[in-house]
Amino acid sequence: MNFSDKIKEYQWDDVRLSIYAKTASDVQRALSKPRLDLEDFKALISPAAEPYLEQMAQKSQQLTLQRFGKTQQFYIPLYLSNMCSNICTYCGFSMHNALRRKTLDMQEIEDECIAIKKMGFDHILIVTGESERKVGVDYFKQALPIIKKYFANITIEVQPLDQEEYSELIEYGVNAVLVYQETYNPVTYAEHHLKGKKSDFIYRLNTHDRLGEAGIHKMGLGSLIGLEEWRTDCFYVAAHLNYLEKKYWQTRYTISFPRLRPCEGGMEIKSVMNDKQLVQLICAYRLFNPEVELSLSTRESEHFRNHVLPLGITSLSAGSSTQPGGYAEQADKALEQFEISDERSPATMANLVKAQGYEVVWKDWDHSLTGK
């Protein structure tokens, strides 16, 4: 069974109505339990939980400290290409946007790695547009040996691949893969993914199963907040995580919660989530699953990241550029995927984190832990 089979147990409208029907008693019950189920998670992301945010935040902070200690993992994205074969209504890299396209060659990749390494990072996130012709598995096989010379941990966020392709890339040094479903509502998904392989809802939905079968060390999931009613979509993320942890129990998991940001060809946001509601969601994920890693990118503002850091977050991006060639060369805004909000340098972010009593971890894990 894949998640495309499991998801049939959760009908979108039934889930949405169930979340909004939760009461203060449901929230109190969830807060009193040592282990939560999906019904408890519904209560914690419901409007009924908003008056309990302080209590949720305190418990979230306590659980995070127990599991992760006072540490914050730092990572940085390296965009290799903004080429894309999909048409998506919300993405700056979408094929229909009049965007200058660039794919880094091997020398440019090495130059970027050198520039990033000087900032102190040992954990890198490789990002591309979804273009199998320009940035497919063969391209990654050329790039990964170069990147591996400089970084102990490599995460990729690229187009979904077949199981055999993931197995190959693991052998080339990939430690983790991030794939976001964008929205778990198939009707809404079809409205926003108009052309290209990404329009295949089921193939994307089953990507994490292929990753699990390939034996990936860590996988990331999430929805793009704003495409659909955010509470319902985020329930599906929790249900997806619950399914994956039971089936692929040896894998680590991380959740991100990207809110739509301005970009070329940007669209109107369907479901706006304010800062207080994002804090509620972060705390709900932590209470639901004390083991899962929670990541916050530079999409969010300086003010928000400063204050939410102790409440459940375990990893932060810093010094990010969202266009190919954004570190070794002068940044070119015409190439970027979306606008970042927190533009502080890695050194500034590290000092802030240390000032709050946290240790900065510049890499995720060591190969000696798995014998590879």
Side-chain angles (χ1 to χ4, degrees), residues 54-66:
E54 181 64 32
Q55 189 176 344
M56 289 174 62
Q58 290 175 2
K59 192 169 183 180
S60 177
Q61 183 176 20
Q62 179 185 13
L63 288 171
T64 306
L65 288 173
Q66 287 174 358

Side-chain angles (χ1 to χ4, degrees), residues 18-29 43-44 46-49 52:
S18 177
I19 293 169
Y20 282 86
K22 295 298 183 184
T23 66
S25 296
D26 296 317
V27 178
Q28 293 166 5
R29 186 181 307 110
L44 294 180
S46 73
Y52 296 87

Side-chain angles (χ1 to χ4, degrees), residues 41 44-45 56 60 222-223 233-238 241 255-257 280-290 292 294:
F41 182 76
L44 294 180
I45 60 172
M56 289 174 62
S60 177
S223 62
D233 246 341
C234 292
F235 164 83
Y236 280 90
V237 174
L241 173 66
I255 291 177
S256 298
F257 6 79
Q280 179 185 356
L281 177 64
I282 290 168
C283 295
Y285 278 133
R286 174 59 64 225
L287 270 58
F288 175 66
N289 190 316
V292 71
L294 300 179

Side-chain angles (χ1 to χ4, degrees), residues 15 51 57 68 70 132 201 262 269 346 357:
V15 170
F68 297 94
K70 297 205 77 173
E132 291 186 356
F201 177 83
I269 298 173

Side-chain angles (χ1 to χ4, degrees), residues 137-168:
V137 172
D138 289 342
Y139 176 82
F140 299 138
K141 286 180 180 179
Q142 294 179 60
L144 285 167
I146 297 170
I147 297 166
K148 194 175 180 180
K149 289 192 300 182
Y150 297 92
F151 303 101
N153 184 277
I154 301 173
T155 298
I156 63 171
E157 184 181 339
V158 302
Q159 66 269 22
L161 303 171
D162 293 339
Q163 179 183 328
E164 296 76 15
E165 293 173 319
Y166 281 130
S167 296
E168 288 185 78

